[in-house]
């Protein structure tokens, strides 16, 4: 009898996104002529940068020469791309060897799958709010042992981020074996500066913990005291994996490419306390369970490292950053409590009225025609908060804010 | 302390491919001017078909319209491609609903990862010979409990294929919960016809087992009594997952796209015996742990369903099929024992001299300049066998066979 992994029968936090989609679709059906402003969606609204489009055309033409693929086909990633990534690290004073870098098909899958090379008895710390994928991965891989129904788990620690600490993740008081952090924070948009991040590295060093550092939105960092890589902190190579996604910059559904860094210095442990190279284990996983990123996507990713590509990407990032500022400033001008939006395309805010996030989601949808991100999607305790994303067309965002302002002055 | 998944410290069957690469590289270093004939490699030698190249150019230009991506972005796959796949199934009399199909990034990753939605206590049956990835996935996910060192496992059944049964997989005598089969067989190139495959479906129905059916090479099936899909067999939808890869046809390292079918009728079980829809669990996994296949790749895959695409693919498959026939006929003319190569691009043969496969690998390399596939890579008991792949340039293959014939008449 084929048995199921019964962890898959447990609740999944992802249902919130489906719920949001359902509500939006219902609204569209009832109001087909209303233009909605999507401040929820990580899908980009701008076209791909010209340098990528040109590179793609060239790459497609290169497929006429099959030798090119054969030479470059490694499931870990192509040298031409890895070399560019290493050079970018060197520019911020981080030296890594070639074997440290794995090209992936976007950051999500590596963040979710890293648990598979780690033991099941690890205590996992995730922030709160957190993207539901993090907790979901822990639960589905059997790391969530229920203690209080489906929403509390014995070996998952939630690091509460709140107004009191400016929605910045604080180190857990308990001992955690694996710590997941995103910097800039996915959804809250807040950032850990060098001093703060050093505390995390020191904690991990002391406790022999592993930090899984999601740097997907690093392109949006503007402030100089926020590191672009955790490896800027001394000692981090021994305790941290860094995961990055090109898709987060240049159009997620058209492209799937990113990279993960597993430095050769990075150690994890057997139950007897013996050191094991996590890089070696990850190599085994990548070769066994993935197909890697396709040659075409890797060439597209390489294009963003050219002089022209860099300048076009900077322009794109700047465009979304200005969007974020516009949103942030407008919400602040309402007198709302606002987080993020400075070093990040995400803005997190306290719901200005006494409504839970689903009700406010519906109110924003029906009265301001804005699709938002309900706080509860990132954990039950965030029901009083809401998220906006700045990945949209400028004019749409300006119009959305105008509409919001008008409703705001009346009944919001 | 960050603990490792200690299953990753166990032996991996994949080292054979690294070993082969090392030997070939050493040879190249010593003999830089010798042209080697690669009869080992699943990387294609022909260029992408024109229909795909044209479609890719068009798709890249379409990226100027971001609405296209937004509309089509589903992590399960784009409707335009799923519709074509369903139509192809209907043409062979198989009716499936849209929700059954998941677009993946190539068949390997789904075959390896399916274990994660299944319980750990399942008894798994794999063929022998088998691609080492199958066993590897079972071991790394903790399903291999060692009984006799690293090469024997208490809950993995190996279905011995041998000369006696024409290297056709036979049903296990024991009760297996999960059965992995590829048809045409990956590496042996042998095929199960309708009558044979029906026995597998009946076995699975009777035992409530799950068949994971790898149909990656179905494009190479010529003989009418070999099904192109397991769903041509009555009852199969209730017991089988079917996995297919477009990459297996049209150039693996340039492209990553395939699909998996989890019919809504397909059931697996909880320990208490309750039925669970595997489709629902797989949806959860796909959404949680993968990024899906990129829009660009899905458009490329769609191109092979157009009239022009179909005809170009048929030509490509025919080219490799003729290569396979040439290899098969030549080896048979030497009086060797040869399997596969009729409905498959793979040829499997008994080493004609008393040598283990690594020694014969080296002999082929040094004397006939042929890179081959050592039988031992597919399980210890296959050390007396060897594999060739027909994915190469026709002239190279003809020259390789000539060279083999000349060495053959002297000292082989």
């Amino acid at each position: 009898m084929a048995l199921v992994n019964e962890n898959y029968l447990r609740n999944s936090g992802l249902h919130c996104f489906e719920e949001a989609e359902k509500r939006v679709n219902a609204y569209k059906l009832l109001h087909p002529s209303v233009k909605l402003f999507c401040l929820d969606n990580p899908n980009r609204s701008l076209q791909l940068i010209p340098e990528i489009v040109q590179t793609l055309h060239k790459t497609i033409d290169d497929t006429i020469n099959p030798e090119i693929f054969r030479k470059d086909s490694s499931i870990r990633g192509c040298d031409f791309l890895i070399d560019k990534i290493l050079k970018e690290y060197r520019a911020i004073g981080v030296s890594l060897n070639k074997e440290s870098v794995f090209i992936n098909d976007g950051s999500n899958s590596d963040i979710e799958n890293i648990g598979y090379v780690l033991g099941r008895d690890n205590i996992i710390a995730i922030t709160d709010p957190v993207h539901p994928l993090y907790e979901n991965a822990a639960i589905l891989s059997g790391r969530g042992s229920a203690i209080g129904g489906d929403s509390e788990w014995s070996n998952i620690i939630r690091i509460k981020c709140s107004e009191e600490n400016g929605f910045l993740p604080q180190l857990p008081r308990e001992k955690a074996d694996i710590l997941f952090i995103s910097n800039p924070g996915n959804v809250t948009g807040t950032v850990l500066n060098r001093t703060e991040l050093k505390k995390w590295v020191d904690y991990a060093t002391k406790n022999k913990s592993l930090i899984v550092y999601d740097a997907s939105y690093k392109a949006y960092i503007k402030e100089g005291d926020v590191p672009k890589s955790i490896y800027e902190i001394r000692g981090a190579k021994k305790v941290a994996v860094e995961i990055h996604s090109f898709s987060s910059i240049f159009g997620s559904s058209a492209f799937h490419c990113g990279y993960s860094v597993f430095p050769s210095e990075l150690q994890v442990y057997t139950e007897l306390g013996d050191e094991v190279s996590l890089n070696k284990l990850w190599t085994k996983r990548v070769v066994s369970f993935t197909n890697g990123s396709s040659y075409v996507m890797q060439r597209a990713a390489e294009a963003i490292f050219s002089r022209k590509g860099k300048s076009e990407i900077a322009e794109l990032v700047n465009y979304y950053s200005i969007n974020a500022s516009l949103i942030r400033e407008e919400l602040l001008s309402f007198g709302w409590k606002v987080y993020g939006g400075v070093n990040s395309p995400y803005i997190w805010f306290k719901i200005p009225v006494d409504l839970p996030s689903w009700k406010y989601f519906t109110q924003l949808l029906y009265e301001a025609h804005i699709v938002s991100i309900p706080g509860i999607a990132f954990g039950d305790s965030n029901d009083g908060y809401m998220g906006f994303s700045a990945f949209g067309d400028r004019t749409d965002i300006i119009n959305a804010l105008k509409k919001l302002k008008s409703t705001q002055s009346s009944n919001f």
Side-chain angles (χ1 to χ4, degrees), chain A:
Chain A
M1 187 167 76
L3 294 173
V4 69
N5 171 355
E6 298 200 13
N7 296 306
Y8 271 73
L9 305 179
R10 290 171 165 184
N11 247 347
S12 151
L14 296 174
H15 61 90
C16 280
F17 297 124
E18 289 161 29
E19 177 63 29
E21 205 182 331
K22 263 185 219 163
R23 288 178 186 225
V24 172
N25 287 339
Y27 180 88
K28 284 181 181 167
L29 215 65
L30 292 169
H31 310 84
S33 62
V34 174
K35 178 181 164 67
L36 290 179
F37 305 112
C38 295
L39 269 65
D40 66 316
N41 206 318
N43 282 329
R44 308 304 180 262
S45 69
L46 292 191
Q47 64 196 62
L48 287 173
I49 61 169
E51 180 75 352
I52 290 179
V53 173
Q54 280 157 30
T55 303
L56 279 167
H57 281 302
K58 189 185 166 303
T59 306
I60 303 307
D61 286 334
D62 280 350
T63 60
I64 287 165
N65 181 356
E67 282 302 318
I68 292 178
F69 301 133
R70 205 176 290 161
K71 200 179 63 194
D72 282 318
S73 66
S74 159
I75 211 159
R76 299 177 48 133
C78 296
D79 281 351
F80 60 76
L81 181 55
I82 293 175
D83 288 344
K84 304 290 185 306
I85 293 164
L86 294 178
K87 199 176 157 197
E88 196 184 54
Y89 271 111
R90 280 198 300 274
I92 54 167
V94 174
S95 156
L96 290 165
N97 61 29
K98 207 175 98 175
E99 287 67 34
S100 308
V101 180
F102 298 80
I103 306 300
N104 60 36
D105 70 339
S107 56
N108 272 7
S109 55
D110 278 4
I111 292 169
E112 305 311 310
N113 283 294
I114 193 168
Y116 288 124
V117 298
L118 300 168
R120 299 232 283 185
D121 295 332
N122 287 306
I123 303 292
I124 295 178
I126 52 177
T127 57
D128 180 8
V130 74
H131 194 289
L133 282 174
Y134 287 74
E135 188 175 85
N136 209 36
I139 295 166
L140 298 183
S141 59
R143 289 184 175 83
S145 308
I147 48 168
D150 258 346
S151 58
E152 274 184 272
W153 309 99
S154 64
N155 39 12
I156 301 177
I157 298 170
R158 296 188 71 121
I159 304 168
K160 189 63 203 147
C161 308
S162 62
E163 285 181 43
E164 290 68 47
N165 51 42
F167 278 97
L168 264 191
Q170 311 290 306
L171 278 169
R173 271 178 231 131
E174 311 91 326
K175 223 168 111 174
D177 303 308
I178 319 288
L179 305 129
F180 284 86
I181 41 174
S182 56
N183 196 27
N186 190 341
V187 98
T188 59
T190 57
V191 283
L192 293 163
N193 64 21
R194 276 192 182 75
T195 315
E196 285 301 313
L197 196 56
K198 185 174 181 308
K199 291 181 195 163
W200 289 74
V201 172
D202 291 347
Y203 171 101
T205 308
K206 188 180 146 211
N207 294 302
K208 298 188 172 179
S209 314
L210 172 72
I211 297 173
V212 182
Y213 187 79
D214 177 2
S216 293
Y217 293 98
K218 70 176 180 183
Y220 289 86
I221 296 173
K222 284 184 219 157
E223 296 176 326
D225 62 339
V226 182
K228 291 244 173 183
S229 162
I230 194 169
Y231 304 125
E232 293 180 46
I233 312 296
R234 187 186 296 267
K237 280 190 208 165
K238 286 192 176 167
V239 294
V241 167
E242 181 162 296
I243 298 179
H244 184 57
S245 155
F246 298 121
S247 331
S248 305
I249 317 174
F250 66 74
S252 59
S253 67
F255 278 91
H256 288 175
C257 196
Y259 62 84
S260 294
V261 181
F262 288 76
S264 38
E265 297 89 337
L266 179 58
Q267 302 289 350
V268 288
Y269 304 88
T270 65
E271 284 194 20
L272 296 174
D274 294 330
E275 292 189 345
V276 178
S277 156
L278 192 57
N279 179 290
K280 290 219 174 89
L281 303 191
W282 192 250
T283 304
K284 210 163 178 176
R285 201 202 90 83
V286 166
V287 173
S288 305
F289 290 94
T290 80
N291 296 313
S293 177
S294 73
Y295 175 81
V296 177
M297 291 299 126
Q298 293 187 62
R299 280 287 178 206
E302 188 199 13
I304 73 170
F305 292 96
S306 75
R307 184 188 292 261
K308 186 158 166 277
K310 269 185 193 158
S311 133
E312 288 171 359
I313 282 289
E315 206 178 308
L316 189 71
V317 167
N318 191 44
Y319 182 93
Y320 292 132
S321 287
I322 292 175
N323 286 357
S325 292
L326 289 174
I327 299 172
R328 181 184 161 87
E329 295 308 317
E330 190 70 8
L331 303 193
L332 282 172
S333 81
F334 300 160
W336 296 3
K337 285 191 175 155
V338 184
Y339 306 87
V342 178
N343 297 290
S344 159
Y346 290 109
I347 295 98
W348 181 252
F349 61 96
K350 188 169 187 173
I351 298 174
V353 286
D354 188 24
L355 282 180
S357 56
W358 275 124
K359 288 221 161 139
Y360 193 65
F361 176 90
T362 305
Q363 187 169 318
L364 280 175
L365 182 63
Y366 279 74
E367 300 182 15
H369 306 159
I370 291 175
V371 184
S372 58
I373 309 166
I376 199 169
F378 300 85
D380 290 346
S381 66
N382 304 292
D383 202 14
Y385 296 87
M386 217 68 195
F388 280 158
S389 127
F391 290 120
D393 177 77
R394 178 78 44 81
T395 318
D396 281 357
I397 285 176
I398 291 171
N399 289 334
L401 293 172
K402 269 188 202 154
K403 187 89 184 157
L404 181 59
K405 193 173 184 175
S406 69
T407 53
Q408 156 70 4
S409 52
S410 56
N411 58 352
F412 263 65

